[in-house]
Amino acid sequence: MTVIKSTLPEKALGITGTALQDTLVDLLGLSLVGKQAHWNIVGPRFRSIHLQLDEVVAAARAHSDTVAERAAALGVSPDGRPETIAATFALPGTKDGWLRDTEVVELMVSTLHTAVTRLRERIEATEKADPVTQDLLISITADLEKQRWMFEAENQPRDAG
C-alpha cells in the first residue's frame, strides 16, 4: 500500500490532521442535519426554508470534499465513514418527526453557530502548524457564518429594526 508523505513536520501534521478530521465530521454531519430538516419541515415558510436548507447542504458537502482532499494531500487519511460520523459528531441535531419552520430556523442557527465556534478554535490551532489549512478553515467559516446570518434573519419579529 502506498502512503502519501506529508510536507509538514510531524507535530504540525498532528495538529492539522486533527483539525481537518474534526472539520470533516462537522461538515458531513451538518449536511445530514440540513437534509433531515429539509425533508421534515412544515409551516408557512416551508418553501423558502426548504430551499435555503439545500444551500447549506450543498455548501457543507462541497467544503467536506475540499477538507478531505486537503487531508489526503497532507498524508492524512480522511475518515468520513458513517460509523465515524455517528461516533464523533458533536453539533446540535434534529429531533424525530416533523419540524415547524420556526424550529428549523432555530436549529440551523444553533448548529451553524456551534460549527463556526469549533472552526474558529481550529483556525487558531492551525495558525502556525499550517497556514494553508488555516486559510481553508477561514474560508469555510466565512461561508457558514453567512448561512447562520441568513437563518437568524428568518425569525426576527416584524417590528425589529
Side-chain angles (χ1 to χ4, degrees):
M1 177 166 87
T2 304
V3 176
I4 306 301
K5 177 84 170 127
S6 180
T7 57
L8 295 177
E10 191 173 324
K11 182 177 179 184
L13 181 61
I15 293 166
T16 303
T18 298
L20 288 167
Q21 179 58 38
D22 291 348
T23 301
L24 179 62
V25 168
D26 283 357
L27 291 168
L28 290 172
L30 176 61
S31 74
L32 295 171
V33 169
K35 267 304 180 188
Q36 184 66 20
H38 172 89
W39 296 322
N40 286 284
I41 186 171
V42 294
R45 294 180 297 159
F46 165 83
R47 178 125 174 98
S48 64
I49 296 171
H50 183 81
L51 295 173
Q52 192 174 352
L53 288 164
D54 272 341
E55 291 176 22
V56 172
V57 170
R61 288 179 177 169
H63 289 312
S64 67
D65 189 52
T66 302
V67 165
E69 289 178 353
R70 175 70 184 154
L74 292 174
V76 175
S77 175
D79 188 355
R81 296 172 299 151
E83 58 269 25
T84 301
I85 307 309
T88 60
F89 183 66
L91 301 179
T94 62
K95 65 178 187 175
D96 287 345
W98 303 110
L99 301 166
R100 295 292 311 166
D101 51 4
T102 53
E103 289 178 297
V104 169
V105 169
E106 290 170 8
L107 168 69
M108 294 310 296
V109 169
S110 175
T111 302
L112 288 161
H113 177 83
T114 303
V116 164
T117 300
R118 291 166 57 86
L119 276 162
R120 287 186 172 279
E121 292 168 0
R122 295 176 200 133
I123 288 167
E124 188 175 323
T126 56
E127 179 180 13
K128 288 189 178 19
D130 184 22
V132 176
T133 294
Q134 182 193 44
D135 186 55
L136 172 63
L137 298 177
I138 290 168
S139 175
I140 294 167
T141 301
D143 195 22
L144 295 186
E145 283 179 331
K146 178 182 175 185
Q147 293 292 339
R148 191 202 62 76
W149 157 62
M150 294 175 88
F151 274 105
E152 188 172 31
E154 285 279 347
N155 273 354
Q156 294 302 312
R158 291 184 190 268
D159 60 351

